[in-house]
Amino acid sequence: MGFKSLFYLFIPHPQTHQKAHLLSWHFLVIYILLFMFLKVGLDLVGIYKPGVLGVDSNITATQIIEDTNKERAKNNLPSLIENQALSNAAKLKAQNMFAENYWAHFSPSGKDPWEFMLNSGYKFSFAGENLARNFASADDVVKAWMNSPSHKENIVNSKYKDIGVAVVEGNLNGQKTMLVVQMFGKPYEAFTSVPEVNVGSQKIAVEPSEVTKDRPMVLAGTTLKENLNSQTINPYSIIKTFGIGVIVFIGFLILLDFIILKRRGVFRFSSHHLAHLSFLGLAGASMFLTKAGEIL
């Protein structure tokens, strides 16, 4: 490639006024492919170097409970009382997600959310579960739950009296992950015909015999952190930085294209410009909306 050809990668051709080659659809496809390769590369790092990637957080269970009760107060509801059995159940659930490597309300081995509650000694009439992972702060977690109708329903449910929260760190799918498990409950009452659990927008009836039968109590153990890296690389920040860098670069080329063609007196706003601006707008919106946190 000659010097002039290299030059025309960045500016419009002086005779044909064809836009810079780096603004062609071929290169836009290349940018997208590079983004995809970066994502796949990070996934491979997570597989072959577990714990290198992750999101650092300093969330505590106390903060989650306080923020939850603030939201209930806004809805004229009484505060939930922290229950140690529910907190133990939440920790057992988090540890099980790491042990079986899953992100769901139900485990691959068939464990139900209420199984952890009952095994911790909490017998319920009504119960619920909210999950979150990889958030930076407790405020962000509760805000995300409140913006989701099904999770909000648990937080502002007038039936619940108790709450238990666990914040546990471990390796999930090759990444260092901070899991937040929030469990709600109302103690079992004999006159309640069918105990009910609210998980993932589903209201699931539980056989009363499952709730009332005696079970050996299971206690959550301490979480081992020796295998976790103290410093991790945030994959979401890498992807976001790369994406914003590409967007700024393309935006600079479009601006340069506008200026040069206007000085040449041949500038016309075309569908090509509209397509590029639309691409930038969509890409920019997706980048700025990209966040590490996820709820379930």
Side-chain angles (χ1 to χ4, degrees), residues 47-72:
I47 294 172
Y48 293 105
K49 294 287 184 180
V52 171
L53 303 177
V55 178
D56 292 320
S57 172
N58 58 358
I59 300 171
T60 67
T62 300
Q63 291 171 332
I64 295 291
I65 294 172
E66 287 177 353
D67 288 348
T68 297
N69 281 329
K70 286 178 184 177
E71 294 298 335
R72 288 178 64 86

mmCIF file of all heavy atoms in Angstrom, residues 47-72:
data_model
loop_
_atom_site.group_PDB
_atom_site.id
_atom_site.type_symbol
_atom_site.label_atom_id
_atom_site.label_comp_id
_atom_site.label_asym_id
_atom_site.label_seq_id
_atom_site.Cartn_x
_atom_site.Cartn_y
_atom_site.Cartn_z
ATOM 1 N N ILE A 47 -12.021 -18.939 30.881
ATOM 2 C CA ILE A 47 -12.000 -20.402 30.912
ATOM 3 C C ILE A 47 -10.633 -20.931 31.340
ATOM 4 O O ILE A 47 -10.525 -21.817 32.188
ATOM 5 C CB ILE A 47 -12.390 -20.973 29.522
ATOM 6 C CG1 ILE A 47 -13.850 -20.642 29.208
ATOM 7 C CG2 ILE A 47 -12.148 -22.478 29.478
ATOM 8 C CD1 ILE A 47 -14.267 -20.993 27.799
ATOM 9 N N TYR A 48 -9.575 -20.369 30.738
ATOM 10 C CA TYR A 48 -8.233 -20.903 30.972
ATOM 11 C C TYR A 48 -7.506 -20.247 32.139
ATOM 12 O O TYR A 48 -6.540 -20.794 32.653
ATOM 13 C CB TYR A 48 -7.395 -20.765 29.695
ATOM 14 C CG TYR A 48 -7.891 -21.649 28.577
ATOM 15 C CD1 TYR A 48 -8.599 -21.130 27.493
ATOM 16 C CD2 TYR A 48 -7.688 -23.033 28.618
ATOM 17 C CE1 TYR A 48 -9.067 -21.944 26.474
ATOM 18 C CE2 TYR A 48 -8.154 -23.858 27.612
ATOM 19 C CZ TYR A 48 -8.845 -23.310 26.543
ATOM 20 O OH TYR A 48 -9.321 -24.125 25.560
ATOM 21 N N LYS A 49 -7.963 -19.077 32.574
ATOM 22 C CA LYS A 49 -7.372 -18.394 33.726
ATOM 23 C C LYS A 49 -8.494 -17.946 34.664
ATOM 24 O O LYS A 49 -8.766 -16.756 34.800
ATOM 25 C CB LYS A 49 -6.545 -17.186 33.276
ATOM 26 C CG LYS A 49 -5.304 -17.518 32.471
ATOM 27 C CD LYS A 49 -4.211 -18.122 33.367
ATOM 28 C CE LYS A 49 -2.931 -18.360 32.576
ATOM 29 N NZ LYS A 49 -1.860 -18.945 33.427
ATOM 30 N N PRO A 50 -9.159 -18.900 35.312
ATOM 31 C CA PRO A 50 -10.296 -18.535 36.181
ATOM 32 C C PRO A 50 -9.892 -17.546 37.272
ATOM 33 O O PRO A 50 -8.838 -17.677 37.881
ATOM 34 C CB PRO A 50 -10.696 -19.881 36.797
ATOM 35 C CG PRO A 50 -10.159 -20.915 35.870
ATOM 36 C CD PRO A 50 -8.903 -20.340 35.313
ATOM 37 N N GLY A 51 -10.732 -16.553 37.477
ATOM 38 C CA GLY A 51 -10.496 -15.583 38.540
ATOM 39 C C GLY A 51 -9.711 -14.367 38.123
ATOM 40 O O GLY A 51 -9.626 -13.394 38.876
ATOM 41 N N VAL A 52 -9.121 -14.386 36.906
ATOM 42 C CA VAL A 52 -8.368 -13.213 36.440
ATOM 43 C C VAL A 52 -9.329 -12.072 36.115
ATOM 44 O O VAL A 52 -9.051 -10.900 36.392
ATOM 45 C CB VAL A 52 -7.516 -13.571 35.196
ATOM 46 C CG1 VAL A 52 -6.912 -12.318 34.571
ATOM 47 C CG2 VAL A 52 -6.408 -14.543 35.581
ATOM 48 N N LEU A 53 -10.472 -12.431 35.521
ATOM 49 C CA LEU A 53 -11.481 -11.432 35.193
ATOM 50 C C LEU A 53 -12.496 -11.333 36.325
ATOM 51 O O LEU A 53 -12.804 -12.321 36.987
ATOM 52 C CB LEU A 53 -12.202 -11.802 33.895
ATOM 53 C CG LEU A 53 -11.333 -12.000 32.651
ATOM 54 C CD1 LEU A 53 -12.193 -12.442 31.478
ATOM 55 C CD2 LEU A 53 -10.575 -10.737 32.306
ATOM 56 N N GLY A 54 -13.029 -10.145 36.523
ATOM 57 C CA GLY A 54 -14.035 -9.996 37.563
ATOM 58 C C GLY A 54 -14.353 -8.546 37.847
ATOM 59 O O GLY A 54 -13.729 -7.632 37.304
ATOM 60 N N VAL A 55 -15.355 -8.331 38.687
ATOM 61 C CA VAL A 55 -15.785 -6.993 39.084
ATOM 62 C C VAL A 55 -15.640 -6.871 40.592
ATOM 63 O O VAL A 55 -16.209 -7.659 41.344
ATOM 64 C CB VAL A 55 -17.249 -6.739 38.672
ATOM 65 C CG1 VAL A 55 -17.698 -5.365 39.129
ATOM 66 C CG2 VAL A 55 -17.415 -6.884 37.171
ATOM 67 N N ASP A 56 -14.839 -5.903 41.033
ATOM 68 C CA ASP A 56 -14.640 -5.696 42.469
ATOM 69 C C ASP A 56 -15.821 -4.932 43.057
ATOM 70 O O ASP A 56 -16.392 -4.045 42.425
ATOM 71 C CB ASP A 56 -13.344 -4.927 42.725
ATOM 72 C CG ASP A 56 -12.109 -5.753 42.364
ATOM 73 O OD1 ASP A 56 -12.123 -6.963 42.647
ATOM 74 O OD2 ASP A 56 -11.161 -5.200 41.782
ATOM 75 N N SER A 57 -16.191 -5.291 44.274
ATOM 76 C CA SER A 57 -17.354 -4.675 44.910
ATOM 77 C C SER A 57 -17.154 -4.677 46.421
ATOM 78 O O SER A 57 -16.430 -5.507 46.970
ATOM 79 C CB SER A 57 -18.622 -5.453 44.546
ATOM 80 O OG SER A 57 -19.718 -5.004 45.272
ATOM 81 N N ASN A 58 -17.797 -3.732 47.089
ATOM 82 C CA ASN A 58 -17.734 -3.683 48.553
ATOM 83 C C ASN A 58 -19.133 -3.685 49.173
ATOM 84 O O ASN A 58 -19.385 -3.067 50.197
ATOM 85 C CB ASN A 58 -16.958 -2.441 49.013
ATOM 86 C CG ASN A 58 -17.577 -1.147 48.497
ATOM 87 O OD1 ASN A 58 -18.569 -1.176 47.767
ATOM 88 N ND2 ASN A 58 -17.012 -0.020 48.872
ATOM 89 N N ILE A 59 -20.058 -4.396 48.524
ATOM 90 C CA ILE A 59 -21.443 -4.489 49.004
ATOM 91 C C ILE A 59 -21.491 -5.307 50.292
ATOM 92 O O ILE A 59 -20.768 -6.291 50.440
ATOM 93 C CB ILE A 59 -22.327 -5.149 47.935
ATOM 94 C CG1 ILE A 59 -22.326 -4.331 46.642
ATOM 95 C CG2 ILE A 59 -23.757 -5.324 48.431
ATOM 96 C CD1 ILE A 59 -22.998 -5.030 45.483
ATOM 97 N N THR A 60 -22.360 -4.905 51.209
ATOM 98 C CA THR A 60 -22.586 -5.684 52.429
ATOM 99 C C THR A 60 -24.063 -6.036 52.547
ATOM 100 O O THR A 60 -24.932 -5.338 51.997
ATOM 101 C CB THR A 60 -22.153 -4.914 53.688
ATOM 102 O OG1 THR A 60 -23.018 -3.778 53.867
ATOM 103 C CG2 THR A 60 -20.710 -4.452 53.583
ATOM 104 N N ALA A 61 -24.340 -7.106 53.282
ATOM 105 C CA ALA A 61 -25.725 -7.521 53.499
ATOM 106 C C ALA A 61 -26.510 -6.457 54.252
ATOM 107 O O ALA A 61 -27.688 -6.207 53.954
ATOM 108 C CB ALA A 61 -25.751 -8.843 54.273
ATOM 109 N N THR A 62 -25.854 -5.793 55.192
ATOM 110 C CA THR A 62 -26.518 -4.740 55.976
ATOM 111 C C THR A 62 -27.002 -3.608 55.080
ATOM 112 O O THR A 62 -28.118 -3.092 55.233
ATOM 113 C CB THR A 62 -25.556 -4.183 57.046
ATOM 114 O OG1 THR A 62 -25.169 -5.244 57.922
ATOM 115 C CG2 THR A 62 -26.223 -3.079 57.851
ATOM 116 N N GLN A 63 -26.156 -3.225 54.118
ATOM 117 C CA GLN A 63 -26.543 -2.150 53.186
ATOM 118 C C GLN A 63 -27.758 -2.555 52.348
ATOM 119 O O GLN A 63 -28.662 -1.747 52.114
ATOM 120 C CB GLN A 63 -25.365 -1.816 52.273
ATOM 121 C CG GLN A 63 -24.196 -1.146 52.971
ATOM 122 C CD GLN A 63 -22.985 -1.040 52.068
ATOM 123 O OE1 GLN A 63 -22.786 -1.854 51.164
ATOM 124 N NE2 GLN A 63 -22.152 -0.032 52.295
ATOM 125 N N ILE A 64 -27.756 -3.804 51.887
ATOM 126 C CA ILE A 64 -28.875 -4.293 51.069
ATOM 127 C C ILE A 64 -30.170 -4.249 51.876
ATOM 128 O O ILE A 64 -31.222 -3.803 51.389
ATOM 129 C CB ILE A 64 -28.609 -5.724 50.572
ATOM 130 C CG1 ILE A 64 -27.415 -5.766 49.609
ATOM 131 C CG2 ILE A 64 -29.851 -6.297 49.899
ATOM 132 C CD1 ILE A 64 -27.646 -5.104 48.275
ATOM 133 N N ILE A 65 -30.106 -4.682 53.122
ATOM 134 C CA ILE A 65 -31.309 -4.693 53.975
ATOM 135 C C ILE A 65 -31.781 -3.269 54.256
ATOM 136 O O ILE A 65 -32.987 -2.978 54.188
ATOM 137 C CB ILE A 65 -31.023 -5.446 55.290
ATOM 138 C CG1 ILE A 65 -30.778 -6.928 54.980
ATOM 139 C CG2 ILE A 65 -32.188 -5.288 56.266
ATOM 140 C CD1 ILE A 65 -30.295 -7.734 56.169
ATOM 141 N N GLU A 66 -30.846 -2.373 54.541
ATOM 142 C CA GLU A 66 -31.220 -0.981 54.818
ATOM 143 C C GLU A 66 -31.878 -0.340 53.600
ATOM 144 O O GLU A 66 -32.919 0.328 53.719
ATOM 145 C CB GLU A 66 -29.981 -0.182 55.219
ATOM 146 C CG GLU A 66 -29.457 -0.508 56.605
ATOM 147 C CD GLU A 66 -28.189 0.246 56.942
ATOM 148 O OE1 GLU A 66 -27.645 0.934 56.037
ATOM 149 O OE2 GLU A 66 -27.736 0.168 58.098
ATOM 150 N N ASP A 67 -31.293 -0.536 52.417
ATOM 151 C CA ASP A 67 -31.856 0.055 51.195
ATOM 152 C C ASP A 67 -33.211 -0.558 50.858
ATOM 153 O O ASP A 67 -34.108 0.123 50.354
ATOM 154 C CB ASP A 67 -30.886 -0.123 50.019
ATOM 155 C CG ASP A 67 -29.667 0.770 50.132
ATOM 156 O OD1 ASP A 67 -29.684 1.683 50.984
ATOM 157 O OD2 ASP A 67 -28.697 0.572 49.371
ATOM 158 N N THR A 68 -33.354 -1.848 51.132
ATOM 159 C CA THR A 68 -34.645 -2.520 50.893
ATOM 160 C C THR A 68 -35.725 -1.926 51.789
ATOM 161 O O THR A 68 -36.844 -1.636 51.336
ATOM 162 C CB THR A 68 -34.510 -4.031 51.153
ATOM 163 O OG1 THR A 68 -33.572 -4.591 50.236
ATOM 164 C CG2 THR A 68 -35.857 -4.728 50.992
ATOM 165 N N ASN A 69 -35.396 -1.722 53.053
ATOM 166 C CA ASN A 69 -36.380 -1.160 53.988
ATOM 167 C C ASN A 69 -36.709 0.301 53.676
ATOM 168 O O ASN A 69 -37.820 0.768 53.945
ATOM 169 C CB ASN A 69 -35.889 -1.311 55.424
ATOM 170 C CG ASN A 69 -36.118 -2.721 55.957
ATOM 171 O OD1 ASN A 69 -37.078 -3.392 55.575
ATOM 172 N ND2 ASN A 69 -35.237 -3.176 56.831
ATOM 173 N N LYS A 70 -35.760 1.021 53.100
ATOM 174 C CA LYS A 70 -36.048 2.398 52.660
ATOM 175 C C LYS A 70 -37.099 2.392 51.556
ATOM 176 O O LYS A 70 -37.995 3.254 51.536
ATOM 177 C CB LYS A 70 -34.762 3.062 52.153
ATOM 178 C CG LYS A 70 -33.787 3.466 53.248
ATOM 179 C CD LYS A 70 -32.526 4.066 52.651
ATOM 180 C CE LYS A 70 -31.497 4.398 53.733
ATOM 181 N NZ LYS A 70 -30.227 4.918 53.155
ATOM 182 N N GLU A 71 -36.981 1.438 50.643
ATOM 183 C CA GLU A 71 -37.969 1.347 49.559
ATOM 184 C C GLU A 71 -39.334 0.951 50.112
ATOM 185 O O GLU A 71 -40.366 1.428 49.643
ATOM 186 C CB GLU A 71 -37.509 0.331 48.502
ATOM 187 C CG GLU A 71 -36.261 0.735 47.737
ATOM 188 C CD GLU A 71 -36.433 2.016 46.947
ATOM 189 O OE1 GLU A 71 -37.587 2.361 46.582
ATOM 190 O OE2 GLU A 71 -35.416 2.699 46.687
ATOM 191 N N ARG A 72 -39.357 0.084 51.110
ATOM 192 C CA ARG A 72 -40.630 -0.298 51.725
ATOM 193 C C ARG A 72 -41.257 0.893 52.447
ATOM 194 O O ARG A 72 -42.474 1.091 52.383
ATOM 195 C CB ARG A 72 -40.413 -1.472 52.698
ATOM 196 C CG ARG A 72 -40.132 -2.788 51.997
ATOM 197 C CD ARG A 72 -39.886 -3.910 52.991
ATOM 198 N NE ARG A 72 -41.053 -4.203 53.822
ATOM 199 C CZ ARG A 72 -42.037 -5.026 53.477
ATOM 200 N NH1 ARG A 72 -42.016 -5.634 52.299
ATOM 201 N NH2 ARG A 72 -43.052 -5.248 54.300
#
